Amino acid sequence: MKTIKIQINDKIGFHARTASIFSKSASEFKSIINIEFKDKKVNGKSMLSIMSLGVKTGDSVIISCEGEDEEVSINHLKNLINNNFNS
Amino acid sequence: MNHNKIKGIGASPGIEIGEIFFIKKNNISIIKKKSSNKPIDEINRLKNSISILEKKILGLKKNLKNKISKENLSIYDSNIEILKDPDLIEKTTHLIKSKNYSAEYSYKYCSEEYVKVINKIDDEYISARANDIKEISNELIEVLLGKSSTDINFSSPKILVSEKISTNEIASIKSKYIKGIVTAEGGSTDHVSIISKALEIPAVVGLKSKIKKLKNNDKLILNGQEGEVIYNPTPKQLKEYKTKKNILKEKFKNTIKKNKETAKTISGQLIKVNANIGSLNDAKKALKYGADGIGLFRTEFCFLNRQNFPSEEEQFKLYAKILNVLPKKEFIIRLSDFGSDKKVDYIDQPYEQNPAMGYRGLRLGFKYYDKLLKPQLRALIRLSIDYNIKILCPMISDIDDLKEIKKALINESENLKLNKRSHVPLGIMIETPNVAMNAEEFIDHVDFFSFGTNDLSQFLMAADRTNENVAKYHEKAIPSIMKLIENVCNISQKKGKWVGVCGEIASKKELLKMFIKVGVNELSMSPTMIPEIKESIRKIKL
């Protein structure tokens, strides 16, 4: 399993657009992808679950990927967030 | 206060006068909790209905394709995503299986759970999405129950009035038949507001229970500017608002047209008004506010929050995306200006006593040439074949640095072995007193100069621009800066080169006349300032 802690810097945080971009990207991978924030852990492939975390700009989340493409998926998602969701 | 005026929230600007088309909502039908079907059949019914609604939304999106921006169109993608959310479906099917509940009840129950959680989040943007979830859930239930969604059918333009209206409903009506939208619910950041703004349909939302005063076929004045409606208007009110509407229309047409036009003084002197940008969004703003071009693209802003150096390919792709927003315009692209107050994790910088006067801008670029400057130069040279790019160098105080960057540009250009090659104009920022006072030494090596007045005033006044305690000194630098600009303009004019100003002071209205007088050719500023500055330039008489 691969995990990283990363800061969300999009100007509104994980709102509908960014949650949607993230979950779409995550869905392209076979790995099980989770996002953890404030003791809550949700499915990174579900936009609604990501939004329900209430992550705001500047907050850090922990992303974990587990499966055959865990290495590729975690790097891809890391870059996505670092590029402020401009894939 | 007029007796027939109702105050709401202005969600999309504009004034309209027309007849009301009142959309009556079927009260949400009674839903059976327990299902008489086998769970597996219920799950299949759910899946079929989801795919029917998905097709319908895709069709609606197609209708709007050429009418609204890609970004706004994505609202419909997000509707589909809510509809097909894996966790929502998983929870729904679990409920169907474990309790033998109906698909309608299960989907409604699970989506309401999300609505509850999301409503608790103290964030206007996210809680507005709770409405989207409710909308989708209601629409899916209608499909499950075999009801056609509210039939909205009319062939002449009307003002739609409803308790609430969904983005899907707006899309299902030909927008030329919608004069305006009035709702009881809603706020200015929800998707209905965004879509009506994008379609340029005036809208007033949030009328609450007062909406009951509006009756089908009655005449209505909708004032999106003030966020109010007037029902059964008097002849006097009608006349007043017809005039207001026409004035607004003229004004709107003129500003849009005028924004895009170049700005000339009364005496006919043209001055370029460009935009400072640092992202794709900024570029879109520059387009919207009518920038003549991009006067300062701060590339480092694209790569601040990350762990590794951006590769040549990555830069190429991102710049191309940004260039494509204004593909025909001039783009003055500044090479990465890291260091000083813009530090990043992937550049290892030693501790400096005075980072503003330390390793920054091109000095840092040379130090990490292969990882920092080289990929950027190569990406820009490749793009210069198809776009009107000029390269701007940050933090040059010494002629040797300028010669080195020119050499690097030529080298990389040769190394790339491109079939087509174009000369990429090169300019430098004037942000050190040395260049400003001794521009003669630099002029033959550059195509243009651009004054970065924020740093220049920091060095002229010996006042740190990041230190609030000495902020007052920066205002006082203006007379000296003006003298230096005049000096550089004189030298440049003789050699047929041009001078721009891209710092904070470029958008100071009181200085415009002076800039033009001393011979500044280009001003670059925050996109939203552009319409105002262009307007002021047009009034200048020298």
Side-chain angles (χ1 to χ4, degrees):
Chain A
M1 187 168 79
K2 301 276 168 199
T3 59
I4 49 156
K5 191 171 181 182
I6 194 163
Q7 203 181 25
I8 306 297
N9 284 305
D10 186 82
K11 62 174 180 259
I12 344 188
F14 251 143
H15 57 114
R17 191 186 70 88
T18 43
S20 150
I21 294 172
F22 188 94
S23 58
K24 256 187 221 153
S25 278
S27 304
E28 284 166 18
F29 298 99
K30 290 190 181 128
S31 292
I32 294 169
I33 295 169
N34 285 314
I35 303 179
E36 217 180 312
F37 177 64
K38 285 190 185 159
D39 302 330
K40 260 169 94 184
K41 196 176 191 175
V42 301
N43 178 3
K45 296 178 183 177
S46 160
M47 170 170 91
L48 293 181
S49 297
I50 297 175
M51 280 200 309
S52 69
L53 288 175
V55 175
K56 294 197 175 153
T57 182
D59 284 340
S60 289
V61 298
I62 295 167
I63 295 172
S64 60
C65 301
E66 188 169 13
E68 53 184 286
D69 52 6
E70 56 187 32
E71 185 87 44
V72 198
S73 54
I74 201 139
N75 282 328
H76 183 85
L77 296 170
K78 190 174 85 181
N79 286 337
L80 184 71
I81 293 177
N82 281 331
N83 283 327
N84 279 338
F85 300 94
N86 292 312
S87 51
Chain B
M1 183 80 183
N2 291 306
H3 67 286
N4 59 349
K5 212 180 245 184
I6 309 173
K7 192 96 187 124
I9 302 162
S12 174
I15 292 174
E16 271 301 344
I17 301 165
E19 272 174 25
I20 294 173
F21 185 94
F22 206 109
I23 307 170
K24 284 251 170 9
K25 290 272 161 165
N26 317 328
N27 277 332
I28 273 297
S29 325
I30 299 150
I31 292 170
K32 272 196 307 185
K33 191 168 171 182
K34 280 274 182 189
S35 166
S36 47
N37 291 336
K38 275 190 217 148
I40 183 76
D41 295 334
E42 216 41 26
I43 290 169
N44 280 335
R45 212 160 63 81
L46 175 78
K47 290 192 171 153
N48 283 339
S49 301
I50 288 176
S51 93
I52 291 170
L53 187 53
E54 182 187 8
K55 275 191 201 122
K56 185 186 155 200
I57 299 173
L58 283 173
L60 297 174
K61 185 185 164 196
K62 216 171 136 197
N63 289 345
L64 290 179
K65 203 178 164 194
N66 297 317
K67 292 183 191 148
I68 63 176
S69 70
K70 253 192 180 163
E71 202 177 334
N72 287 330
L73 265 184
S74 69
I75 288 174
Y76 292 91
D77 295 327
S78 117
N79 285 350
I80 291 177
E81 234 181 312
I82 293 173
L83 175 69
K84 292 174 70 182
D85 190 273
D87 280 10
L88 175 57
I89 293 179
E90 154 97 42
K91 284 176 183 153
T92 307
T93 50
H94 179 77
L95 210 55
I96 297 173
K97 266 191 231 162
S98 61
K99 306 253 168 131
N100 203 15
Y101 285 161
S102 70
E104 291 89 344
Y105 180 83
S106 307
Y107 192 88
K108 190 172 159 52
Y109 179 85
C110 295
S111 64
E112 274 171 2
E113 287 296 299
Y114 275 110
V115 170
K116 271 187 223 154
V117 177
I118 287 170
N119 265 334
K120 272 190 210 140
I121 297 167
D122 178 28
D123 180 317
E124 201 189 353
Y125 284 89
I126 290 198
S127 48
R129 298 298 81 83
N131 279 326
D132 299 345
I133 303 173
K134 276 191 233 163
E135 254 177 35
I136 298 293
S137 157
N138 286 342
E139 282 174 35
L140 184 71
I141 288 163
E142 287 192 346
V143 177
L144 277 165
L145 292 170
K147 285 189 178 175
S148 61
S149 57
T150 334
D151 245 341
I152 309 170
N153 230 331
F154 49 91
S155 48
S156 67
K158 304 260 178 158
I159 296 176
L160 300 187
V161 179
S162 180
E163 279 292 320
K164 59 180 172 187
I165 192 162
S166 72
T167 47
N168 292 344
E169 279 169 332
I170 299 179
S172 66
I173 309 165
K174 282 195 175 141
S175 58
K176 66 173 180 185
Y177 292 142
I178 312 178
K179 267 193 152 178
I181 294 170
V182 178
T183 63
E185 296 181 9
S188 58
T189 58
D190 61 20
H191 278 158
V192 171
S193 303
I194 295 171
I195 293 289
S196 45
K197 246 185 246 161
L199 288 169
E200 289 170 11
I201 300 172
V204 176
V205 300
L207 252 55
K208 309 235 170 85
S209 64
K210 287 193 179 135
I211 199 152
K212 289 188 189 116
K213 300 206 158 136
L214 311 183
K215 302 275 182 289
N216 202 23
N217 291 330
D218 275 1
K219 212 164 209 166
L220 187 78
I221 296 172
L222 185 162
N223 185 351
Q225 312 296 108
E226 305 291 334
E228 59 193 21
V229 297
I230 300 170
Y231 59 97
N232 299 326
T234 61
K236 198 181 145 206
Q237 282 172 323
L238 273 178
K239 206 178 148 203
E240 180 193 345
Y241 277 88
K242 269 182 194 156
T243 320
K244 274 192 182 168
K245 185 185 158 185
N246 287 334
I247 294 172
L248 203 67
K249 242 184 169 170
E250 271 315 296
K251 215 171 144 190
F252 186 69
K253 261 200 258 167
N254 286 339
T255 21
I256 291 285
K257 220 173 90 196
K258 264 202 173 157
N259 276 355
K260 298 229 154 107
E261 282 170 15
T262 51
K264 278 181 190 168
T265 62
I266 291 176
S267 31
Q269 196 166 346
L270 177 82
I271 179 145
K272 258 193 261 175
V273 184
N274 283 345
N276 295 343
I277 64 165
S279 68
L280 183 64
N281 250 338
D282 290 349
K284 286 181 184 160
K285 273 194 196 154
L287 176 69
K288 182 175 165 196
Y289 290 101
D292 296 329
I294 301 302
L296 174 65
F297 176 10
R298 302 174 166 117
T299 53
E300 68 279 1
F301 276 68
C302 301
F303 308 108
L304 285 179
N305 298 306
R306 54 184 290 143
Q307 308 299 324
N308 50 355
F309 285 93
S311 69
E312 177 185 331
E313 264 336 286
E314 204 179 320
Q315 296 192 52
F316 181 88
K317 277 191 198 147
L318 180 62
Y319 300 153
K321 216 168 167 182
I322 294 174
L323 285 157
N324 275 332
V325 177
L326 303 116
K328 301 245 155 61
K329 303 278 191 191
E330 159 189 77
F331 259 74
I332 299 171
I333 303 183
R334 185 172 70 184
L335 298 171
S336 303
D337 189 17
F338 291 114
S340 189
D341 53 343
K342 285 172 287 191
K343 290 209 166 51
V344 283
D345 292 347
Y346 50 94
I347 302 178
D348 194 19
Q349 278 190 277
Y351 170 78
E352 292 175 310
Q353 194 88 27
N354 290 304
M357 295 187 276
Y359 257 128
R360 55 174 291 198
L362 270 193
R363 299 169 182 176
L364 209 56
F366 292 132
K367 191 178 172 201
Y368 293 97
Y369 183 77
D370 285 342
K371 283 181 180 164
L372 192 59
L373 202 49
K374 186 176 167 181
Q376 186 169 37
L377 285 174
R378 288 171 63 98
L380 294 176
I381 295 165
R382 285 165 58 197
L383 287 162
S384 71
I385 294 167
D386 295 316
Y387 300 94
N388 179 3
I389 288 176
K390 298 180 170 69
I391 291 180
L392 182 59
C393 306
M395 207 17 76
I396 293 236
S397 60
D398 173 23
I399 188 75
D400 288 341
D401 282 356
L402 176 57
K403 285 179 183 165
E404 195 172 339
I405 184 69
K406 279 197 86 174
K407 209 168 77 193
L409 186 64
I410 293 166
N411 277 345
E412 295 307 339
S413 191
E414 279 170 3
N415 291 344
L416 272 166
K417 297 194 173 61
L418 300 169
N419 296 330
K420 255 168 79 184
R421 207 184 287 170
S422 60
H423 165 74
V424 193
L426 185 87
I428 60 176
M429 297 278 291
I430 297 193
E431 44 194 352
T432 63
N434 185 47
V435 182
M437 294 170 77
N438 195 16
E440 294 94 332
E441 197 189 353
F442 297 83
I443 187 87
D444 289 328
H445 302 276
V446 298
D447 295 292
F448 65 95
F449 288 117
S450 185
F451 269 86
T453 53
N454 306 348
D455 266 313
L456 185 57
S457 94
Q458 150 166 288
F459 299 127
L460 284 172
M461 301 305 287
D464 184 346
R465 55 186 270 204
T466 62
N467 183 344
E468 272 175 36
N469 298 327
V470 294
K472 63 171 185 177
Y473 294 104
H474 292 278
E475 276 295 305
K476 306 279 173 64
I478 290 175
S480 298
I481 291 176
M482 278 310 204
K483 274 187 191 166
L484 293 169
I485 293 177
E486 189 171 11
N487 173 43
V488 173
C489 284
N490 284 337
I491 295 163
S492 302
Q493 271 163 6
K494 279 181 208 146
K495 299 271 185 174
K497 314 242 162 131
W498 60 268
V499 178
V501 178
C502 62
E504 204 80 31
I505 69 168
S507 57
K508 283 199 187 296
K509 276 189 197 164
E510 65 276 18
L511 297 177
L512 286 177
K513 205 169 174 175
M514 191 86 118
F515 284 139
I516 297 167
K517 233 181 193 165
V518 300
V520 170
N521 310 84
E522 181 244 52
L523 296 169
S524 193
M525 61 200 67
S526 150
T528 48
M529 292 302 297
I530 291 172
E532 243 181 285
I533 295 296
K534 280 193 170 179
E535 228 10 75
S536 305
I537 292 172
R538 293 186 184 112
K539 288 179 190 144
I540 289 176
K541 206 168 154 186
L542 287 178

